[in-house]
Amino acid sequence: MRSAVLTAPGRFEIADVPTPAPAPDEVLLRVAACGVCTSELAAFAGTEPTDYPRHLGHEVSGTVVAAGPDATALPVGTPVAAWVTANGFAEYVTAKAAHCRPAGDVPLDQALAEPLACAVNAVEEAGVRLGDDVVLIGAGFMGNLVQALVGLRGVRRLVVADTRPDALERARAMGATDVVDVRTASLPDVVGDDGADVTFECTGSQAALDVVGTVTRMSGKIVLVGFHQGEPRRIPLAHWNWMAFDIVNAHYRDLAVIMRGMDVGMRLLRSGLISLEPLVTHRFPLDRIDEAFRTARDKPPGFVKATVTLEEPSRAES
Amino acid sequence: MRSAVLTAPGRFEIADVPTPAPAPDEVLLRVAACGVCTSELAAFAGTEPTDYPRHLGHEVSGTVVAAGPDATALPVGTPVAAWVTANGFAEYVTAKAAHCRPAGDVPLDQALAEPLACAVNAVEEAGVRLGDDVVLIGAGFMGNLVQALVGLRGVRRLVVADTRPDALERARAMGATDVVDVRTASLPDVVGDDGADVTFECTGSQAALDVVGTVTRMSGKIVLVGFHQGEPRRIPLAHWNWMAFDIVNAHYRDLAVIMRGMDVGMRLLRSGLISLEPLVTHRFPLDRIDEAFRTARDKPPGFVKATVTLEEPSRAES
Amino acid sequence: MRSAVLTAPGRFEIADVPTPAPAPDEVLLRVAACGVCTSELAAFAGTEPTDYPRHLGHEVSGTVVAAGPDATALPVGTPVAAWVTANGFAEYVTAKAAHCRPAGDVPLDQALAEPLACAVNAVEEAGVRLGDDVVLIGAGFMGNLVQALVGLRGVRRLVVADTRPDALERARAMGATDVVDVRTASLPDVVGDDGADVTFECTGSQAALDVVGTVTRMSGKIVLVGFHQGEPRRIPLAHWNWMAFDIVNAHYRDLAVIMRGMDVGMRLLRSGLISLEPLVTHRFPLDRIDEAFRTARDKPPGFVKATVTLEEPSRAES
Amino acid sequence: MRSAVLTAPGRFEIADVPTPAPAPDEVLLRVAACGVCTSELAAFAGTEPTDYPRHLGHEVSGTVVAAGPDATALPVGTPVAAWVTANGFAEYVTAKAAHCRPAGDVPLDQALAEPLACAVNAVEEAGVRLGDDVVLIGAGFMGNLVQALVGLRGVRRLVVADTRPDALERARAMGATDVVDVRTASLPDVVGDDGADVTFECTGSQAALDVVGTVTRMSGKIVLVGFHQGEPRRIPLAHWNWMAFDIVNAHYRDLAVIMRGMDVGMRLLRSGLISLEPLVTHRFPLDRIDEAFRTARDKPPGFVKATVTLEEPSRAES
């Protein structure tokens, strides 16, 4: 089968490798799509210490084509989203059956269960309550997922801040009560003196950390969804202490928690309560994976999420 | 001023009593409306040991007409919903300023903050999660409030059961995904083998307790909203133990919790996220309060909630 | 190997059966001990509809003697407590490696991880807080476990009620601040008007349900630890509603929760924070298992817990 | 009466001012003691922008000598700890009756309810579980309070780190399982690779923030008890995100939460479960308050906490 291998910064090669065989508790998936995750961009850029080659790809979906003897719950032919840690940019991938969730009628290139699981867990751990006022800083892919979920929870205000007009238009179309271009307007002014009950930081940037405490009410909640890679961040901790903010580090490494988030996310997709259709803006075939990564890196106007999609292979085994 | 006094079972008299004066931390409200609560029907019926006369009425709303020296946050003229424990069926009532919430543009006969607070607390304590399947047994006033709030929380299924066709029609109009007339259909069949994540018991009846454990999934949640007055109830506790149900006794006596529920409920009303307009089906002037109580007792078709409304008095002091 | 089989009510037979082989993710344990659980007594008595033969035994501990290829974390020779659902009354048993916990220096006949897990989860879900006043009704094995754990949490009062003088003596020796023989003294009188913050019901009896609500403060917590087998129970639900008790159904069917309880329980045993030495009062060899069950059923004075212990077998394979 | 007024940095004056009169819901306390809080040292040092004069003193205890008409629950003569925001360094102070808690037999100079409330809330919000391994960085007064409370919760290890030998000796005497002088030993080495379940940061310093993430396990908890005044802090947020730490900002501004902490703290003191006797190391009369503040600032060897104590005044009114 074909598999994309990152052999050096910026360079993917399509290797011809043996199709993996599922372990007793695994299924073999014919990959339909695998999303490009922001956390993979550092390996692509070569800006983090990394050994090459790398076999990236963990936002994978596909169809069950074979199963180990203990993986009988998912019949061959079932479309699923899977939780794997690597090797998703390939024609086939193995996954533990327990880590797969049926996709039902959800188009597989929209069945982005892993990032959706993160967003679900962030929103549930945030404890957004009925009638809350919510601020969301950063309207990229994760911010959009969080917005879609918060929008299901009966909040009063949902103020979205970003620096990109297209992102703010999209946020408004998704139901934001207010959108704020922080290059030209003051987010604290829009939020007002009462402050938000819950503020989601979805950028991973220092700039958002500087402002998040100024728009959240005393004893309110600050939810850190962004991944703050790179240099340590400067936090005005005296102010955060004084204001008694409840801080939620919305990052998850406990597999049971992650799978619970996937369960909920796939339920929401299958039932149509949310759709990622407007968010998957860029699709690339496997042999143009480098273009997918460059696009995810450059974020052209209108970009939200890039995914690598695989055509129906001509041969089931290769 | 005029005040309705329950002098004996089934008999209200309209007394002429002095208008109360607010204490330093109280406001005086000109009453706009006061809801008839199911918990007051036993005193009206004389079926509980009670000393008469009784000054009922605790679901009150009105306009601030005077304030004690420490109750300055609510200017005269502010329409509010208030938490009081009695004396609401009168032209004027005093309430602690800290127990009043502004009603904004909400019609005061719909500003039923106290029962709404209960429903808010029930739904929040139930911890309804994104994508949950929910069953609601009992589509009377409290059941309707719970349904309205659950409907804001991003659930997948919302199955409502009752024995009254008009109640089920209303539940469907409010957005139930399934309605079940339990006289003619099997609730467990409709719910299916997976069972509900959360089941709300909103009847206060033995019959509902018999069925609630048969429609809830293992480790799911049973929320007891109904007030189970009268005889002890028979609970199939062996089954409830075995199924490891999470039991929520959705009744609240901690004032801080009640006020938190009122805060949220009034936010939801003021912002239009919910409306009680379709639920306040019967209105009676003060001198027909006995009719209001008989209607609440008899529940004619189409009945949901009765309230006693007061006209603008011709004299502010009497 | 030898295995005890319940072939009919009251009748165990020691069968000679093949030693099981561990699956890839399992270990084979040479059984050291297996506790007799109260929930198994109905099958022994024949009072529940049951198909015979039954292979009881789920409170098992032993030493790893073999392991499947994926079960490498527990070397041969490791003493462990295991979570299994049956077959524990035998010389050998297989268990998933993920469901075993090292016993360290804990004597294996005291490594009763499964009931301890229940007690841990009950106490943690009860949310016993610093300085709480706690009442515990029922000082049998489960009650003793709960008491030992509550005693580690910094409570102010720990009142234990039972009808057996020996049980009350043991409770006092374990650190109860008050013990109450409910045949001769009034539990509500001892507890006093303030009521308990948390009351644990550890008997599984109707009588305890009748009293539990009379010794718990408004908005306090009632924790149902006992397994209420048999007839439905009568609950004074009007009172429980009015008092706004928080009800905890301390029964667990979610495996992750059970294993979390085992983790904690084994930590506590291994570190010496608690010891079950005084609780394992009766030990029987495998060929006297019927005597173990009759003792557990009859609860002679001084009885707390019976366990079946296995001697070092002369042959590792049989 | 005499009252200490901070008229300029480093300068207290003892003014003769009218004894305050209690409002209807207040009591008048004859002050017994008022602790010197670290948060007051900046005003004393003049390192924060402050208007003088300042009337400091919020860790106050005393005896009820008069009460407003609505403050009848605490009879004259009752010794109490009170929550006030200022004016505690005086012969008399008024406090809302609802914010006082009986001290029972606790010596009033040890009834430091306000800081104890913070520590109680920190430990309860941290959710320290049975058998947890806990690290505590900073063995000053707040660290000692946290240690005393954690020591009541059934933890396995309790590792205390500091730079002061006398502080580490005291921590060991209070029951730490390990003490680490971080000037000469490696805290991560002592904690080991498993990491702590919960780490309390009780210094308010940058140095502690640098280390706290290196001694806490994945998905473990970091509790920020210290008040990080001054410059923004540098947080290695990429690591904290990656490790999925649960971050608790253990600072409280919700009065109900603070009072709940005081309730528990006073319960613990009154029942003898904890004692602050070893922590109140320095006592000064009112006219030596400047010395109390200099001592709190300079922290001589053996210092933990300074308090200003008041002798029985010769005249009740002055």
Side-chain angles (χ1 to χ4, degrees):
Chain A
M1 68 167 194
R2 292 180 302 143
S3 173
V5 185
L6 184 68
T7 56
R11 172 135 46 108
F12 275 103
E13 293 181 10
I14 307 299
D16 194 2
V17 300
T19 300
D25 61 348
E26 289 184 336
V27 291
L28 179 68
L29 302 181
R30 189 177 66 226
V31 176
C34 187
V36 176
C37 176
T38 301
S39 72
E40 294 170 324
L41 294 178
F44 183 70
T47 55
E48 68 177 15
T50 295
D51 288 331
Y52 297 88
R54 292 287 297 277
H55 298 80
L56 302 174
H58 60 269
E59 299 182 354
V60 77
S61 59
T63 304
V64 176
V65 294
D70 301 338
T72 56
L74 294 166
V76 165
T78 306
V80 300
W83 187 82
V84 300
T85 54
N87 300 314
F89 295 122
E91 286 182 310
Y92 296 90
V93 70
T94 54
K96 281 190 187 282
H99 298 167
C100 295
R101 293 293 177 274
D105 296 331
V106 180
L108 285 174
D109 58 355
Q110 299 170 23
L112 291 157
E114 194 267 349
L116 185 53
C118 294
V120 164
N121 283 325
V123 172
E124 295 218 324
E125 191 183 359
V128 174
R129 301 176 78 161
L130 281 165
D132 271 357
D133 292 339
V134 174
V135 169
L136 198 155
I137 303 174
F141 180 61
M142 281 305 295
N144 291 163
L145 292 181
V146 168
Q147 182 182 344
L149 299 171
V150 169
L152 290 175
R153 296 298 271 168
V155 300
R156 185 169 65 171
R157 293 185 74 192
L158 180 38
V159 181
V160 177
D162 205 301
T163 57
R164 293 165 295 173
D166 61 309
L168 292 170
E169 274 173 43
R170 193 173 57 244
R172 187 182 293 283
M174 291 175 66
T177 57
D178 304 79
V179 297
V180 182
D181 186 332
V182 294
R183 297 171 310 170
T184 57
S186 157
L187 182 58
D189 283 355
V190 173
V191 173
D193 287 347
D194 285 348
D197 298 291
V198 185
T199 302
F200 289 90
E201 193 296 292
C202 301
T203 68
S205 73
Q206 176 65 52
L209 295 174
D210 294 338
V211 75
V212 67
T214 67
V215 296
T216 308
R217 69 164 167 81
M218 185 167 276
S219 302
K221 207 167 289 191
I222 290 175
V223 188
L224 304 174
V225 177
F227 185 13
H228 287 264
Q229 290 174 294
E231 287 300 293
R233 295 293 186 259
R234 284 167 55 90
I235 307 266
L237 207 47
H239 183 63
W240 290 26
N241 289 160
W242 178 254
M243 292 290 284
F245 294 136
D246 195 351
I247 305 170
V248 175
N249 185 26
H251 293 258
Y252 306 96
R253 304 277 294 168
D254 179 316
L255 191 51
V257 173
I258 294 169
M259 295 312 299
R260 154 79 199 168
M262 276 184 62
D263 279 336
V264 173
M266 292 307 297
R267 264 192 184 207
L268 295 173
L269 285 178
R270 286 195 308 266
S271 63
L273 280 164
I274 61 171
S275 166
L276 305 193
E277 199 281 334
L279 304 186
V280 181
T281 50
H282 291 71
R283 293 170 176 82
F284 300 88
L286 184 62
D287 55 12
R288 287 168 54 203
I289 185 172
D290 51 349
E291 196 175 339
F293 271 70
R294 287 196 303 268
T295 303
R297 177 194 66 199
D298 298 340
K299 295 184 173 45
F303 174 84
V304 186
K305 180 73 174 184
T307 190
V308 170
T309 56
L310 286 102
E311 298 173 39
E312 188 82 11
S314 50
R315 299 154 299 133
E317 313 270 320
S318 68
Chain B
M1 67 167 193
R2 293 181 301 143
S3 173
V5 184
L6 184 69
T7 57
R11 170 132 50 106
F12 275 103
E13 293 180 9
I14 306 298
D16 194 0
V17 301
T19 300
D25 61 349
E26 289 184 337
V27 291
L28 178 68
L29 302 182
R30 188 177 66 225
V31 175
C34 186
V36 177
C37 177
T38 302
S39 72
E40 295 170 324
L41 295 177
F44 183 70
T47 55
E48 68 177 15
T50 293
D51 289 331
Y52 297 87
R54 293 285 298 276
H55 298 81
L56 302 174
H58 60 270
E59 301 182 353
V60 76
S61 58
T63 303
V64 176
V65 293
D70 299 338
T72 56
L74 294 166
V76 165
T78 306
V80 300
W83 187 83
V84 301
T85 56
N87 301 315
F89 295 121
E91 288 182 309
Y92 295 90
V93 71
T94 53
K96 281 190 186 281
H99 298 168
C100 295
R101 293 294 177 272
D105 297 330
V106 181
L108 285 174
D109 58 356
Q110 299 170 23
L112 291 158
E114 194 266 350
L116 184 54
C118 293
V120 164
N121 283 325
V123 173
E124 295 219 322
E125 192 182 358
V128 174
R129 300 176 77 160
L130 281 165
D132 271 357
D133 292 339
V134 174
V135 169
L136 197 154
I137 303 175
F141 179 61
M142 280 305 294
N144 290 164
L145 291 181
V146 169
Q147 181 181 344
L149 298 172
V150 168
L152 291 175
R153 296 297 273 168
V155 301
R156 185 169 65 172
R157 294 185 73 190
L158 180 39
V159 182
V160 177
D162 204 302
T163 57
R164 295 164 293 173
D166 61 309
L168 293 169
E169 273 172 45
R170 193 173 57 245
R172 188 182 292 284
M174 289 175 66
T177 57
D178 306 79
V179 298
V180 183
D181 186 332
V182 293
R183 299 169 310 170
T184 57
S186 158
L187 181 59
D189 284 356
V190 173
V191 173
D193 288 346
D194 285 349
D197 298 292
V198 185
T199 302
F200 290 89
E201 193 296 289
C202 301
T203 68
S205 73
Q206 177 65 52
L209 295 174
D210 294 339
V211 75
V212 67
T214 69
V215 296
T216 308
R217 69 164 168 81
M218 183 166 278
S219 303
K221 207 166 289 189
I222 290 176
V223 187
L224 304 175
V225 177
F227 184 13
H228 288 265
Q229 290 174 294
E231 286 301 292
R233 296 292 186 259
R234 284 167 52 89
I235 306 268
L237 207 47
H239 183 63
W240 290 26
N241 290 161
W242 177 253
M243 292 292 282
F245 294 136
D246 195 352
I247 305 170
V248 174
N249 185 27
H251 294 258
Y252 306 95
R253 304 279 291 168
D254 179 315
L255 190 52
V257 173
I258 294 169
M259 295 313 299
R260 154 81 197 167
M262 276 186 60
D263 278 335
V264 173
M266 291 307 296
R267 262 194 187 208
L268 295 173
L269 285 178
R270 286 195 307 265
S271 63
L273 281 163
I274 62 171
S275 166
L276 306 193
E277 198 281 333
L279 304 186
V280 181
T281 51
H282 292 69
R283 292 171 176 81
F284 300 88
L286 186 60
D287 55 12
R288 288 168 56 202
I289 184 171
D290 51 350
E291 195 175 339
F293 271 71
R294 288 197 302 270
T295 304
R297 176 193 68 200
D298 298 340
K299 294 185 174 46
F303 173 84
V304 187
K305 181 74 177 183
T307 191
V308 170
T309 55
L310 286 103
E311 297 174 40
E312 188 82 10
S314 50
R315 299 157 297 134
E317 312 271 320
S318 69
Chain C
M1 69 167 193
R2 293 181 302 143
S3 173
V5 184
L6 183 68
T7 57
R11 173 133 49 105
F12 276 103
E13 292 182 9
I14 307 298
D16 195 0
V17 301
T19 300
D25 61 348
E26 290 184 336
V27 291
L28 179 68
L29 302 182
R30 189 177 66 225
V31 175
C34 186
V36 176
C37 176
T38 302
S39 71
E40 295 171 324
L41 295 177
F44 183 70
T47 55
E48 69 175 15
T50 294
D51 289 329
Y52 298 88
R54 292 286 299 275
H55 298 80
L56 302 173
H58 61 268
E59 300 182 353
V60 76
S61 59
T63 303
V64 176
V65 294
D70 300 337
T72 55
L74 294 166
V76 166
T78 307
V80 300
W83 187 82
V84 300
T85 55
N87 300 315
F89 295 121
E91 288 182 309
Y92 295 90
V93 70
T94 53
K96 281 191 186 282
H99 299 168
C100 295
R101 293 293 177 275
D105 296 331
V106 180
L108 285 175
D109 58 356
Q110 299 170 23
L112 290 157
E114 195 267 349
L116 184 53
C118 294
V120 165
N121 282 325
V123 173
E124 295 218 324
E125 192 183 357
V128 175
R129 300 176 78 161
L130 281 165
D132 271 356
D133 291 339
V134 174
V135 169
L136 198 154
I137 303 174
F141 179 60
M142 280 306 294
N144 290 163
L145 292 181
V146 169
Q147 182 182 343
L149 298 172
V150 168
L152 291 175
R153 297 298 272 168
V155 300
R156 184 168 65 170
R157 294 185 73 191
L158 179 39
V159 181
V160 178
D162 204 301
T163 57
R164 296 163 294 175
D166 61 309
L168 292 169
E169 274 174 43
R170 193 173 58 246
R172 187 183 293 283
M174 290 174 66
T177 56
D178 305 80
V179 298
V180 182
D181 186 332
V182 293
R183 299 170 310 170
T184 58
S186 157
L187 182 58
D189 283 356
V190 173
V191 173
D193 288 346
D194 285 348
D197 298 290
V198 185
T199 303
F200 290 90
E201 193 295 291
C202 302
T203 67
S205 73
Q206 177 65 52
L209 295 174
D210 295 338
V211 75
V212 68
T214 68
V215 296
T216 308
R217 69 163 166 82
M218 183 165 280
S219 303
K221 206 167 290 190
I222 291 177
V223 187
L224 304 175
V225 177
F227 185 14
H228 288 265
Q229 290 175 293
E231 287 300 292
R233 296 293 187 259
R234 285 167 52 90
I235 307 268
L237 207 47
H239 183 63
W240 290 25
N241 290 160
W242 177 255
M243 291 291 283
F245 295 137
D246 194 353
I247 306 171
V248 175
N249 185 28
H251 294 258
Y252 306 95
R253 303 277 294 167
D254 179 315
L255 190 52
V257 172
I258 295 169
M259 295 313 300
R260 154 79 197 169
M262 276 184 62
D263 278 336
V264 173
M266 292 307 296
R267 263 194 186 207
L268 295 172
L269 285 178
R270 286 195 307 267
S271 63
L273 281 164
I274 61 172
S275 166
L276 306 192
E277 199 282 332
L279 304 186
V280 181
T281 51
H282 291 70
R283 292 171 177 81
F284 300 89
L286 185 62
D287 55 12
R288 288 169 54 203
I289 185 172
D290 51 350
E291 195 175 339
F293 271 70
R294 288 197 302 271
T295 304
R297 177 192 67 199
D298 299 340
K299 294 184 173 46
F303 174 84
V304 186
K305 180 74 176 182
T307 190
V308 171
T309 55
L310 286 102
E311 298 175 37
E312 188 82 12
S314 51
R315 299 155 298 134
E317 312 270 321
S318 69
Chain D
M1 68 169 192
R2 291 181 303 142
S3 173
V5 184
L6 184 68
T7 56
R11 171 133 50 108
F12 275 103
E13 293 181 9
I14 306 299
D16 195 0
V17 300
T19 299
D25 61 349
E26 290 184 336
V27 291
L28 179 68
L29 302 182
R30 189 177 66 226
V31 175
C34 187
V36 177
C37 176
T38 301
S39 72
E40 295 171 322
L41 295 178
F44 183 70
T47 55
E48 67 176 17
T50 294
D51 288 331
Y52 297 88
R54 292 286 298 276
H55 298 81
L56 302 174
H58 61 269
E59 301 182 352
V60 77
S61 58
T63 303
V64 176
V65 293
D70 300 336
T72 56
L74 294 166
V76 165
T78 307
V80 300
W83 187 84
V84 300
T85 54
N87 300 316
F89 295 121
E91 286 182 309
Y92 295 90
V93 72
T94 54
K96 281 189 185 284
H99 298 168
C100 295
R101 294 293 178 273
D105 297 331
V106 180
L108 285 175
D109 58 356
Q110 300 170 24
L112 291 157
E114 193 267 351
L116 184 53
C118 293
V120 164
N121 282 324
V123 173
E124 295 217 325
E125 193 184 357
V128 175
R129 301 177 77 160
L130 281 164
D132 271 356
D133 292 339
V134 174
V135 169
L136 198 154
I137 303 175
F141 180 60
M142 281 304 296
N144 290 164
L145 292 181
V146 169
Q147 182 181 345
L149 298 172
V150 169
L152 291 175
R153 296 297 273 169
V155 301
R156 185 168 64 172
R157 294 184 74 191
L158 180 37
V159 181
V160 178
D162 204 302
T163 57
R164 295 165 293 173
D166 61 309
L168 293 169
E169 273 173 43
R170 193 172 58 244
R172 187 183 293 284
M174 291 174 66
T177 57
D178 305 79
V179 298
V180 182
D181 185 332
V182 294
R183 298 171 309 172
T184 57
S186 157
L187 181 59
D189 283 357
V190 173
V191 173
D193 288 346
D194 285 349
D197 298 291
V198 185
T199 302
F200 290 90
E201 193 296 293
C202 301
T203 67
S205 72
Q206 176 65 51
L209 295 174
D210 294 338
V211 76
V212 67
T214 67
V215 296
T216 308
R217 70 162 167 83
M218 184 167 276
S219 302
K221 206 165 290 190
I222 290 175
V223 187
L224 304 175
V225 177
F227 185 13
H228 288 264
Q229 291 173 292
E231 287 300 294
R233 295 294 186 256
R234 284 167 54 90
I235 307 266
L237 207 47
H239 184 62
W240 289 26
N241 290 160
W242 178 254
M243 292 291 283
F245 294 135
D246 195 352
I247 306 170
V248 174
N249 184 28
H251 294 257
Y252 306 95
R253 304 277 292 168
D254 179 316
L255 191 52
V257 173
I258 294 168
M259 295 312 300
R260 155 79 198 168
M262 275 184 62
D263 279 335
V264 173
M266 292 307 296
R267 264 194 185 206
L268 296 173
L269 284 178
R270 286 194 308 265
S271 63
L273 281 164
I274 61 171
S275 165
L276 305 193
E277 197 281 333
L279 304 186
V280 181
T281 51
H282 291 71
R283 294 169 176 82
F284 300 88
L286 185 62
D287 55 12
R288 287 168 56 204
I289 184 172
D290 52 349
E291 196 175 341
F293 271 70
R294 287 196 304 270
T295 305
R297 176 193 68 198
D298 298 341
K299 295 184 172 47
F303 174 83
V304 186
K305 180 73 175 183
T307 190
V308 170
T309 56
L310 286 101
E311 297 175 41
E312 188 81 13
S314 49
R315 298 156 299 136
E317 312 270 322
S318 71

